[in-house]
Amino acid sequence: VGKLSASSYGDLRTCPYRFFSLCLLGLQDAPELDEQVSKRDFGSWLHSVLGDFHTRRKAALESAQPATPDRALLDLCAAEQQIADSGFIPFTAAWPQVRESYLLWLAQHEVESWQFDQAELERTLEHATQAGERMTLIGRLDRVDRLSRGPMAGTAYVLDYKTESTQASKERVKNPLEDTQLAFYAALLGEDDLHAAYVNVAERECNITAQPNIMAARDAVLQGIGIDVQRIH
């Protein structure tokens, strides 16, 4: 075990056999046996659309050029990344409601002085465990926002998009020592003070589910990685 991602470490914590099969043996599902468009495909598409939307929106603001209205820009990004598959039609039909719920949440989020900074941020962290093992932690953060004003200006907010229900995300963060994903991303960002949350993007509403104990969870994950790798050896 030389490299760990957030998903692979999640597999190790929940099912060591799955971790061994997928990460060490390199076994994968045969894609030709499953041609249906799934909610996972919609989630991947949504990540791309929102990343493109915020990157373009930020560039327009920084260049002082006339900005495209948010709704029109979001529709443009969605149209450019549309999946040419009939199985995607149900997700296309739901898009207007998803778009409106997301824009409503975004307006509320920005009122609190949070501003988009980066999307699809790839990070690598060299981590030395307690036993002296060298581990490379890798990952891609969906989004990082920054506080734009006040005494804590510049503070990072790690956000991870989820198409699952808000209740499912609440179950994730209930025990900060079990929710390894946000903690792993916090470790990758490598900042001493930050916030982290899941953004639940759905048709009816868009909510944010924060992990209030993110720094303690980050430290516990880094320590846990060392213990788990030592146990594997």
Side-chain angles (χ1 to χ4, degrees):
V1 183
K3 288 185 178 181
L4 279 176
S5 66
S7 59
S8 64
Y9 186 57
D11 286 339
L12 176 59
R13 293 289 298 272
T14 56
C15 180
Y17 181 72
R18 177 179 175 84
F19 173 82
F20 179 73
S21 300
L22 297 183
C23 299
L24 298 186
L25 296 185
L27 304 181
Q28 298 293 331
D29 292 332
E32 68 274 9
L33 300 181
D34 185 12
E35 297 179 351
Q36 280 191 321
V37 177
S38 66
K39 194 170 184 180
R40 179 184 293 271
D41 296 311
F42 174 66
S44 299
W45 175 80
L46 187 64
H47 278 65
S48 298
V49 169
L50 294 179
D52 191 27
F53 165 72
H54 281 289
T55 301
R56 291 190 188 189
R57 188 172 179 254
K58 180 184 178 184
L61 289 172
E62 291 178 345
S63 64
Q65 296 296 319
T68 304
D70 286 347
R71 185 174 289 102
L73 180 58
L74 199 46
D75 277 341
L76 175 63
C77 295
E80 289 180 351
Q81 300 195 46
Q82 190 61 276
I83 295 178
D85 190 308
S86 60
F88 202 73
I89 290 175
F91 298 115
T92 304
W95 169 246
Q97 287 181 285
V98 173
R99 178 196 64 214
E100 293 306 307
S101 66
Y102 181 77
L103 289 175
L104 180 61
W105 168 80
L106 180 63
Q108 296 170 339
H109 180 64
E110 291 184 339
V111 163
E112 299 173 4
S113 300
W114 293 108
Q115 295 294 326
F116 169 81
D117 184 36
Q118 296 182 79
E120 302 297 323
L121 176 63
E122 294 190 0
R123 296 299 292 260
T124 300
L125 174 68
E126 298 298 330
H127 174 55
T129 70
Q130 299 92 324
E133 294 281 343
R134 302 290 301 182
M135 296 293 302
T136 301
L137 310 185
I138 58 174
R140 179 183 295 173
L141 286 63
D142 287 351
R143 172 174 165 184
V144 177
D145 285 7
R146 299 277 176 184
L147 199 59
S148 61
R149 59 174 65 93
M152 300 300 291
T155 299
Y157 206 151
V158 176
L159 298 173
D160 189 73
Y161 297 121
K162 292 293 183 189
T163 54
E164 65 188 14
S165 68
T166 302
Q167 186 58 41
S169 291
K170 286 181 178 179
E171 290 297 321
R172 284 177 182 269
V173 302
K174 186 177 293 184
N175 185 342
L177 300 183
E178 291 299 324
D179 177 40
T180 60
Q181 187 173 9
L182 286 179
F184 198 98
Y185 290 155
L188 285 175
L189 192 59
E191 299 189 15
D192 293 333
D193 188 23
L194 54 81
H195 302 266
Y198 295 113
V199 181
N200 303 99
V201 186
E203 291 178 53
R204 296 185 178 180
E205 60 181 345
C206 181
N207 292 314
I208 196 163
T209 306
Q211 173 51 269
N213 301 304
I214 188 60
M215 303 310 290
R218 179 202 65 180
D219 294 343
V221 159
L222 290 175
Q223 182 180 27
I225 287 172
I227 294 171
D228 291 339
V229 170
Q230 188 175 16
R231 291 175 65 196
I232 289 173
H233 288 323

